[in-house]
Amino acid sequence: MDEDSVRKRKDMFNGGPATGPTSNMSASHSKPAEEDMKATVLQKEVGLLSGICMIVGTMIGSGIFVSPKAVLLETGAVGPCLCVWAACGVLATLGALCYAELGTMITKSGGEYVYLMEAYGSVMAYLYSWSTIMVLQPSAFAIIALSFAEYTSTPFYPGCTPPIMVTKCLAVVCVFLIVSVNCLSVKLASYVQNFFTAAKLLIILVIVVAGIVLLAQGNTENLSNPFEGASTSFGSIGLAFYNGLWAYDGWNQLNFITEELENPNRNLPLAIIIGIPLVTVCYVLVNIAYFSAMTPTELLQSPAVAVTFGDRVLYPLSWVVPVFVIFSTFGAANGSCFTAGRLTYVAGREGHMVKILSYISLKHLTPSPALIFNGILAVFYIIPADINTLINYFSFAQWAFYGLTALALIVMRFTRKELKRPVKCPMPIAALVVIVSCYLVLAPIIDKPELEYLYCTIFILSGLLLYFPFVHRKFSWTRRVMRPITMHLQLLMEVVPPEKNE
């Protein structure tokens, strides 16, 4: 009954003919309306440029501007620090090449979720969606929003830290604004991403050019003996890689929106091949620029490295650095929201989340329920005092899923030979990504075994308590409870189930 009323609304929104005996529209008038009418599915509105901006804009957040010192702290010298930054870029590229094969082989949105589903079945995919939708993505969104709020509010409180309430309220406003933009239009969200990616690349260019000028003037003492005092500990080098790869996180974002990508067989691998090496070059050159103006000790003592660099090199225009850091964090938050909504949407479509999350706005053709749900969770994560520890403890789980996804590529070479593979990643690359992922999962636990890792594992496995009654068995009483709730939310938000568009 509710489906009929929603379909009538759809006709009204799209300019279609009114149904009923009083309708006297001529065939000549109804034909153009039918031609203009779009199917209620996510539209292919993300081109190659927007795809590159999605990768670059999500990978480059505030980290490279605020605290690239974690890698230096573990390596102990400039030379190995730069080598680690470059090697992390290579590893991210290798991981993305695995995802390029998977994304062109299985052209569905949802990233790791759909690949784990195809390779291992429903349970593994559900555990991934449970931990990622409920914790990893909304908490990452919240952290980026808090970084944006901190940099935005700092100029209004010179000489002191902004009140925590002001920062949190501003972060909530940031989340609300970004979710609203993404609910209104896919194209608008893509334009926002493109603009802020261009802004962050501009400030990186300014920092790199300033560094080149300093090096040309003879400020090369920090690079003269780059390996002096380097750490040779296997554990510390491993932790340096762990911190470096955290800064590269986001290389898999385009796989979450494959269904909205124009010509994914071409644009997905191209965006990966262009985007990730571009970020790698930016990260290495920015670090070289920092070392042209600061000694390793000064860099380690700086609370915000790019701001210190700006104060020393760009004065009296040093204010541009924090402004562009604000732009950078806002763009990263927008990219995080855009892709997180697609995972929630696909999980709802597959029956692993409530059905309303898989519905699409009639007016805007965006997955607005999934985006709003992700935004609400992000606001909840903004409220606690410190969520950085949450991300740190759950990041080992993220790498576990990366490793399982790379392993899925190897598994499906034998179990799903019939699938077409427009892009084929060499097996040794996939094997290397699996090995690196295993190391990155085990390294923090072996280095500092803490109960929090056990709690995270228990939380992930606790998803099984919901899976068997609500997904596997599908108790009839749950449908009776959810049906009226779904209907009222559907009418309130003016959303409908996606059409089958095969």
Side-chain angles (χ1 to χ4, degrees), residues 33-87:
E34 285 173 12
E35 285 170 8
D36 292 340
M37 189 163 59
K38 288 182 178 179
T40 48
V41 292
L42 298 181
Q43 305 297 307
K44 290 185 177 292
E45 296 181 335
V46 180
L48 177 59
L49 178 62
S50 295
I52 294 168
C53 289
M54 184 62 63
I55 292 174
V56 174
T58 311
M59 287 175 73
I60 303 176
S62 60
I64 191 64
F65 303 115
V66 179
S67 56
K69 52 193 176 187
V71 176
L72 177 62
L73 187 65
E74 298 297 340
T75 53
V78 174
C81 172
L82 296 175
C83 290
V84 166
W85 278 108

Side-chain angles (χ1 to χ4, degrees), residues 1-8 483 487 490-491:
M1 192 165 64
D2 57 305
E3 291 258 345
D4 291 338
S5 62
V6 171
R7 289 296 168 198
K8 286 177 186 175
R483 191 174 289 119
M487 185 184 74
Q490 191 178 354
L491 292 171

Side-chain angles (χ1 to χ4, degrees), residues 83-275:
C83 290
V84 166
W85 278 108
C88 286
V90 172
L91 285 172
T93 306
L94 296 181
L97 288 174
C98 297
Y99 277 58
E101 175 175 331
L102 290 165
T104 52
M105 180 174 68
I106 304 166
T107 55
K108 291 181 182 177
S109 294
E112 290 93 343
Y113 174 77
V114 291
Y115 313 141
L116 294 172
M117 176 87 81
E118 291 286 341
Y120 308 116
S122 182
V123 175
M124 183 65 74
Y126 178 81
L127 290 178
Y128 170 77
S129 64
W130 162 253
S131 55
T132 306
I133 291 170
M134 300 306 293
V135 177
L136 285 169
Q137 286 187 328
S139 57
F141 188 12
I143 283 178
I144 301 168
L146 284 165
S147 298
F148 165 82
E150 195 174 331
Y151 267 84
T152 306
S153 56
T154 298
F156 298 97
Y157 296 90
C160 64
T161 334
I164 193 73
M165 187 56 68
V166 171
T167 305
K168 293 195 174 191
C169 287
L170 200 54
V172 170
V173 170
C174 171
V175 169
F176 175 79
L177 184 60
I178 287 170
V179 169
S180 300
V181 166
N182 279 269
C183 286
L184 282 173
S185 166
V186 172
K187 277 192 175 177
L188 178 60
S190 294
Y191 291 149
V192 168
Q193 191 67 21
N194 295 355
F195 173 79
F196 285 103
T197 301
K200 66 182 74 180
L201 288 176
L202 177 61
I203 192 60
I204 283 174
L205 182 64
V206 169
I207 292 171
V208 168
V209 170
I212 291 170
V213 170
L214 287 175
L215 291 172
Q217 291 173 347
N219 294 288
T220 57
E221 56 272 13
N222 296 325
L223 301 169
S224 54
N225 290 307
F227 291 89
E228 189 178 344
S231 171
T232 54
S233 161
F234 183 74
S236 61
I237 295 293
L239 288 172
F241 270 92
Y242 195 79
N243 287 301
L245 286 166
W246 176 255
Y248 280 95
D249 203 35
W251 48 265
N252 60 332
Q253 294 300 295
L254 208 55
N255 289 70
F256 285 94
I257 59 167
T258 310
E259 290 173 29
E260 295 165 83
L261 195 61
E262 296 171 0
N263 191 3
N265 288 350
R266 171 184 176 270
N267 289 342
L268 179 64
L270 258 182
I272 286 168
I273 290 165
I274 296 169

Side-chain angles (χ1 to χ4, degrees), residues 425-471:
C425 176
M427 290 276 270
I429 290 179
L432 179 63
V433 173
V434 173
I435 293 165
V436 170
S437 300
C438 290
Y439 174 75
L440 291 170
V441 169
L442 298 173
I445 300 172
I446 294 168
D447 185 63
K448 273 189 182 178
E450 295 179 15
L451 278 174
E452 280 80 356
Y453 295 116
L454 178 63
Y455 298 152
C456 294
T457 307
I458 291 170
F459 173 83
I460 293 167
L461 295 176
S462 70
L464 295 173
L465 298 176
L466 298 173
Y467 176 81
F468 285 105
F470 299 120
V471 179

